[in-house]
Amino acid sequence: MRFLPVFLDLKAGPMILIGAGELLRAKLRVLSAAGARIRVHAIDGNHELGLNSGDAARIEIASGDPLTADLSGVIAVVCAGAGDVGVAMSVRAKALGLPVNVMDDLEHSSFIFPAIVDRGDVVVAVGTGGTSPVVARRVREKIEALLPARIGELAEFIGGFRKSINERITEFSLRRRFWERVIDGPIGAAVLGGRRSEADAALKAIADPSEFARADKPEGSVALVGAGPGDPDLLTIKALRALQDADIVFHDELVSGEILDRIRRDTTRVPVGRRVGKPGIGQDAINKRMIEAAQAGQRVVRLKGGDPFVFGRGGEEVEALRAAGVAYSIIPGITAGLGGAADFEVPLTYRHEATRITFLTAHKARDAEVVDWSTLTDTKMTVVVYMGMTAAPAVRAGLFAAGRSPETPVGVFARVSRPDAQGAIGTLRDLPELVRRVSGGPAILIIGEVVRHAGSLRRETPKQIISDLLDAAE
């Protein structure tokens, strides 16, 4: 490691910026965004730097030769697009013991600019020793995706209590344990979730910080996490963090293996879902096991396909967690209806053509029999049916009986967002046959005029899609 990462106090004095053109202005934007006081030497004489009124108060346009300028009190020198002047300025700065950066010139630089992740009070700097700024930027992008958006707010929150808590806990190791429990527990989760006042009240309610830190039993919690339709890249960043933090994950049977691979390796995995025709452990048993794990101090994830609140029984689980007094959070996922619509380019709404959407589930034929199909006959309504493969004949019969046209376009989309996804398009008349064509589920049915706009069936061309529709209509 040639360059040691350090953080420069920008309040200690001004920085000198020397250069020309867009390189100068780009570096000026970086320094200005960091709140630095800057003395700018534009060696090309162009002082149109695009400053706003807020920046102007901290930026001085300097005149004269920068090689003879007064450098007393200056904390660093930066050269961007300065040519030979930059090299000469590097010699002068080094002679005075000042940190100097000459853009894209390691030989004449004593410090370099890292790629920065800025979360307020939390700043992450990524460097490659000046060898590949593009690699540093790519690493920064990965870190930005993983860091909670409010991690800086959490640091600021702790900073507001740090002095008072440290005065009450004299032992350093106990003090560290206290803050670990705050950060990793419900208080930290509340700050990261945007519930600052709740976190503030909870921390102030800790009567004995030392006892809180010594507690052998950590506070458990449950996160209801939507896994989306199957593609691991469709997991939200928040869902990924929950999977990485979990001590135990209760997951549905249909959650893809690629998503399960995102769980931390030492985390306990418990399958609790069931497939059609196969027994499961039951919702009450799932609730009981989640609550027991949380009450034992574990960080629990209930991982569901799609979204927990769209035919995922997440509402029932929330009620059980509330009744048990267990802390919980909800992390939504992309529901299969939206995933399938995107995968096969079916717009669920379309101006003047489809202005309403209804989501329903028809797991079994008897589920379809209790649906009031008369409310679903509007031709400007798109109907999305979950788990409708087995009940496809009953769905068709119900819509026919209610008066929906047999020529209504229908799409059956199986294993959406996964590599083996399949789709079949036709009309309501041929719905059971379309189900047979997709080689197994899980699948969703999309019924309505919008299906005519489907853009892709993976292996089928648009001409074949049109041909299917025309054949089904004959």
Side-chain angles (χ1 to χ4, degrees), residues 170-194:
T170 57
E171 185 181 337
F172 178 79
S173 60
L174 199 60
R175 187 186 300 164
R176 181 179 60 193
R177 174 61 183 149
F178 174 89
W179 289 119
E180 286 174 349
R181 291 201 61 203
V182 167
I183 292 169
D184 296 335
I187 296 175
V191 177
L192 295 177

Side-chain angles (χ1 to χ4, degrees), residues 290-313:
M290 286 195 303
I291 290 168
E292 288 175 347
Q295 290 175 335
Q298 291 187 294
R299 290 169 294 190
V300 180
V301 164
R302 174 69 175 101
L303 186 62
K304 298 170 171 290
D307 181 90
F309 281 1
V310 180
F311 306 123
R313 305 188 75 171

Side-chain angles (χ1 to χ4, degrees), residues 362 365 368-374 376-377 388 390-406 410 427-432 445 447:
E369 291 167 1
V370 300
V371 174
D372 183 1
W373 296 104
S374 66
L376 305 175
T377 57
T390 302
V395 170
R396 180 182 64 173
L399 287 170
F400 277 0
R404 193 111 188 201
S405 169
V410 173
T427 64
L428 188 57
R429 176 188 288 111
D430 299 313
L431 177 55
L445 320 178
I447 303 168

